[in-house]
Amino acid sequence: MSAHANLERRRQAIYGWLLLSPAAVLLTLFAFYPSVATLWSSVFSRGTRRKPTEFVGTENYADLFADPTFWIVVKNNILYAGVTIPVSIFIALSMALWANGKIRARGFVRTAYFTPTVLPMIAAANLWLFFYTPGLGVLDQIGSLFGLPSVNWLGQPETALWAIIIVTIWKEAGFFMIFYLAALQTIPEDLKEAADIEGTSRWTYTRRIVLPLLMPTTLFIAVNAMINSVKLIDHLFILTKGGPSDASKLILYYIWEMAFAFFDAPSAAAMTIMVIAVLGIVATIQFFYLDKRTHYQ
Amino acid sequence: MKSLTKFMDSFGAILLAIIWIAPLLFAFWAATHSTSDAVNLNLFSPWTFENFRVAWAGAPWLKYFMNTFMLVTVILIGQFVLTTLAGFAFAQLQFPGKDYVFILVLMQLFILPEVLIVENYAMISRLGLFDTILGVGMPYMASAFGIFLMRQSFKGVPVELHEAARIEGCGLLGILWRVYVPLAKPTYLAYALVSVSTHWNNFLWPLIVTNSPATRPLTVGLSIFGAPENGVDISIISAATLMSVAPLLIAFLIFQRQFVQAFLRAGIK
């Protein structure tokens, strides 16, 4: 009997590793090895024809910290995250409350909110280009009705990043809405009835009952929005290319530019390591804080 | 009072909805009118499909469509196979080291492929897959997210079914294929919708790995077509944009409920 159990255990171990191996190979090739290789190349100098690469320790990082563009990009990305995360969460929540309520044309409203989610960021950027173009764009046309002067939204440092931020919010709010919608549908009807009997105002009901019950969803969305604030940069390629004078440049775009336009792989690697560190912190927060609240099976 | 707030609710919701689809509506307007009529918002100007014709002739769109279609298909097949096998191993088999490997897999959820573009590019070149559709798809096939999703779904399968199939003489892979896979159909559908719409829309990685019209997906093709140095005007860009989003958008409008359910199922896990 024990020999049989032993055999079964060995069989499971062999099968387990066999079934895992294809995924393990690809994960190693495209996640684990590249992570280590990035760390490795971030501590070596950039090789040239005359000078081979050599170990430089933290020099690439020091160079990066001394690079004013790096700080502009970091500041931009913090502003980008700081605005897009709360605003898209707020809009998503309003959308969900409306789309869940008894309003007219609910089907149309839901579809309209969700539609940007299925569009590629590149297409979204093209659509918004029509809004932002100076002189011809829709925003300027509307402005001119009120006698406002033409504004080059994408071409001036004060507004370029904001124009980018608006496109991002437009793109992701509808996506976050559906998570709120699902959560709202799990709130029992009796709570609303009880609140009505007590004569609670709608605002109090929303603030004291609905919002606390939506807290786990909000955290889940916040983590997603944080990841998006690193990831969503495609529209920069169409709208501003990070300009004017780096005013709308974000970290991932800068990494791309470093690596594929300036061919400075060590700096790109150092920056990548920092991004991974930040994402790791987010992951840890989620692991210890969120997991307790969201229910896995 | 009550009916007033109700009216305000509907009003606000519909106003926001109109603002939200305005960019699409304007693009549609621009694409179906001549450039000068479009920018002047001349409401009574004649409709035209000339922009679509010019846009279509301006780039190998059919090839781009085929490339995108091939790309999402290759990724989806790869993902289905890999995540099914790995998800089953994690859900139903006991073997030493399983928990450590699972944590390693979960770590990949936060090391986004987007962040590792430089080293992944080096890896793809080393494998000789630069400028191939397989090269664009490969980094996404062993999706940690998919493995997690499949594991969750397989864990929900009752043990009795597994045992029954075993007594009937079914091997382990037979059980996976005959019992687990059919029961996970809704998860596969949800995962497929999320995967297809993600990779249909992906841009940065294909931009780096592709270098010719023979492999370039729609998003990259669209960005090159609309580049300012090509000097195409807003009506034609709008027409090209609408053309390239049309298949996914129409699919979404038809299968809207499934789409939303899919994203929910995939997101809430």
Side-chain angles (χ1 to χ4, degrees), chain A residues 8-9 11-20 22-24 26-35 37-38 41 91 94-95 98-99 102-105 107-124 126-131 133 135-138 141-142 169-171 173-175 178-179 181-183 196 202 220 223 227 230-231 233-234 237-238 241 252 255-256 259-260 265 268-269 272 275-276 279-280 282-283 286-287 295-297, chain B residues 2 5-10 12-14 16-24 26-27 29-30 38-41 82 85-86 88-90 92-98 101 104-112 114-121 123-124 126-127 138-139 141-144 147-148 152-153 155-156 166 172-173 176 197 200-204 207-208 219 222-223 226 228-229 234 237-238 241-242 244-245 248-249 252-253 256 259-260 263-264 267-269:
Chain A
E8 170 63 21
R9 205 179 310 144
R11 208 175 63 101
Q12 288 225 355
I14 292 169
Y15 263 110
W17 283 104
L18 271 181
L19 293 182
L20 272 188
L26 282 189
L27 279 177
T28 309
L29 286 180
F30 295 107
F32 305 131
Y33 172 78
S35 309
T38 305
S41 78
I91 293 179
S94 321
M95 284 174 168
W98 272 330
K102 294 181 182 66
I103 55 154
R104 271 174 225 181
F108 159 73
V109 166
R110 279 189 187 185
T111 309
Y113 292 163
F114 190 71
T115 301
T117 303
V118 293
L119 302 178
M121 206 61 185
I122 290 295
N126 277 341
L127 301 182
W128 280 87
L129 201 58
F130 188 41
F131 271 67
T133 313
L136 307 173
V138 176
Q141 300 272 347
I142 295 171
I169 293 171
W170 175 77
K171 184 78 170 59
F175 181 56
I178 59 173
F179 297 104
L181 258 183
D196 281 346
R202 205 170 68 141
F220 171 81
V223 170
I227 293 174
V230 174
K231 207 166 77 170
I233 55 138
D234 295 353
F237 285 85
I238 299 282
K241 300 199 189 305
L252 187 54
I255 291 178
W256 174 81
F260 296 99
T272 305
V275 173
I276 290 177
L279 289 174
V282 175
Q286 189 196 25
F287 193 75
H295 28 79
Y296 295 129
Q297 289 156 351
Chain B
K2 191 122 194 181
T5 50
K6 213 168 197 171
F7 172 76
M8 289 306 288
D9 266 346
S10 293
I14 291 170
L16 188 65
I18 291 171
I19 294 173
W20 232 244
I21 52 163
L24 255 182
F26 276 112
W29 164 263
V39 297
N40 292 326
L41 292 180
L82 292 176
L85 297 180
F88 181 66
F90 281 127
Q92 297 298 343
L93 297 177
Q94 299 306 324
F95 54 93
K98 183 171 107 167
V101 184
L104 272 179
V105 169
L106 285 189
M107 270 171 59
Q108 200 250 329
L109 280 178
F110 289 90
I111 310 174
L112 311 168
E114 283 80 3
V115 178
L116 294 174
I117 44 177
V118 183
E119 287 299 329
N120 277 347
Y121 167 76
M123 178 62 78
I124 286 292
R126 231 171 282 150
L127 295 174
M138 227 168 169
M141 284 180 188
S143 143
I147 293 174
F148 188 71
Q152 292 301 102
S153 165
K155 276 196 158 208
R166 213 167 63 132
L172 203 55
L173 286 179
L176 171 59
S197 60
W200 191 284
N201 296 343
N202 199 8
F203 171 72
L204 184 59
L207 172 75
I208 292 167
T219 46
L222 181 61
S223 81
E229 50 272 27
I234 201 82
I237 291 182
S238 296
T241 306
L242 287 180
S244 60
V245 301
L248 205 60
L249 198 62
F252 161 68
L253 290 176
Q256 206 189 136
F259 255 94
V260 173
F263 278 100
L264 273 179
I268 290 183
K269 294 168 201 167

Side-chain angles (χ1 to χ4, degrees), chain A residues 165-185:
Chain A
I165 286 174
I166 288 173
V167 177
T168 305
I169 293 171
W170 175 77
K171 184 78 170 59
E172 66 181 2
F175 181 56
F176 296 151
M177 167 194 76
I178 59 173
F179 297 104
Y180 274 130
L181 258 183
L184 280 174
Q185 277 158 10

Side-chain angles (χ1 to χ4, degrees), chain A residues 10-293:
Chain A
R10 206 172 315 150
R11 208 175 63 101
Q12 288 225 355
I14 292 169
Y15 263 110
W17 283 104
L18 271 181
L19 293 182
L20 272 188
S21 54
V25 168
L26 282 189
L27 279 177
T28 309
L29 286 180
F30 295 107
F32 305 131
Y33 172 78
S35 309
V36 177
T38 305
L39 186 63
W40 183 259
S41 78
S42 78
V43 292
F44 280 84
S45 69
R46 176 181 173 183
T48 58
R49 196 167 293 223
R50 299 216 185 117
K51 240 175 65 189
T53 55
E54 54 182 45
F55 181 77
V56 291
T58 55
E59 207 173 280
N60 290 321
Y61 293 88
D63 286 353
L64 214 51
F65 290 144
D67 169 16
T69 311
F70 173 72
W71 291 110
I72 295 176
V73 171
V74 168
K75 224 175 62 199
N76 286 346
N77 221 135
I78 291 174
L79 180 68
Y80 184 64
V83 177
T84 56
I85 296 169
V87 173
S88 56
I89 288 180
F90 175 77
I91 293 179
L93 181 60
S94 321
M95 284 174 168
L97 288 172
W98 272 330
N100 195 47
K102 294 181 182 66
I103 55 154
R104 271 174 225 181
R106 199 166 69 170
F108 159 73
V109 166
R110 279 189 187 185
T111 309
Y113 292 163
F114 190 71
T115 301
T117 303
V118 293
L119 302 178
M121 206 61 185
I122 290 295
N126 277 341
L127 301 182
W128 280 87
L129 201 58
F130 188 41
F131 271 67
Y132 289 140
T133 313
L136 307 173
V138 176
L139 280 182
D140 264 12
Q141 300 272 347
I142 295 171
S144 72
L145 289 182
F146 299 98
L148 297 172
S150 162
V151 179
N152 189 354
W153 301 99
L154 298 168
Q156 52 185 22
E158 301 80 35
T159 51
L161 185 57
W162 292 97
I164 295 289
I165 286 174
I166 288 173
V167 177
T168 305
I169 293 171
W170 175 77
K171 184 78 170 59
E172 66 181 2
F175 181 56
F176 296 151
M177 167 194 76
I178 59 173
F179 297 104
Y180 274 130
L181 258 183
L184 280 174
Q185 277 158 10
T186 64
I187 297 178
E189 280 287 306
D190 353 353
L191 286 178
K192 176 72 183 143
E193 283 163 21
D196 281 346
I197 292 168
E198 295 286 330
T200 321
S201 75
R202 205 170 68 141
W203 166 239
T204 316
Y205 171 73
T206 306
R207 195 167 55 95
R208 303 297 289 270
I209 297 176
V210 176
L211 290 187
L213 285 173
L214 290 180
M215 211 44 204
T217 314
T218 305
L219 285 171
F220 171 81
I221 292 173
V223 170
N224 266 288
M226 241 179 270
I227 293 174
N228 276 354
S229 68
V230 174
K231 207 166 77 170
L232 288 185
I233 55 138
D234 295 353
H235 47 330
L236 290 182
F237 285 85
I238 299 282
L239 293 175
T240 64
K241 300 199 189 305
S245 48
D246 301 326
S248 66
K249 197 168 282 175
L250 299 172
I251 291 177
L252 187 54
Y253 189 91
Y254 196 40
I255 291 178
W256 174 81
E257 206 177 46
M258 278 277 184
F260 296 99
F262 308 149
F263 302 103
D264 183 356
S267 300
M271 232 176 331
T272 305
I273 290 299
M274 284 187 264
V275 173
I276 290 177
V278 172
L279 289 174
I281 294 168
V282 175
T284 322
I285 294 171
Q286 189 196 25
F287 193 75
F288 286 109
Y289 192 63
L290 247 184
D291 254 18
K292 291 195 192 95
R293 286 155 176 269

Side-chain angles (χ1 to χ4, degrees), chain B residues 17-72:
Chain B
I18 291 171
I19 294 173
W20 232 244
I21 52 163
L24 255 182
L25 293 181
F26 276 112
F28 184 72
W29 164 263
T32 51
H33 291 81
S34 72
T35 311
S36 63
D37 285 338
V39 297
N40 292 326
L41 292 180
N42 189 350
L43 283 182
F44 301 104
S45 51
W47 293 60
T48 169
F49 287 96
E50 182 64 12
N51 298 314
F52 287 96
R53 206 188 53 75
V54 174
W56 183 260
W61 295 106
L62 200 61
K63 187 70 195 140
Y64 293 160
F65 266 110
M66 287 308 292
N67 291 339
T68 292
F69 184 75
M70 282 294 290
L71 176 66
V72 296

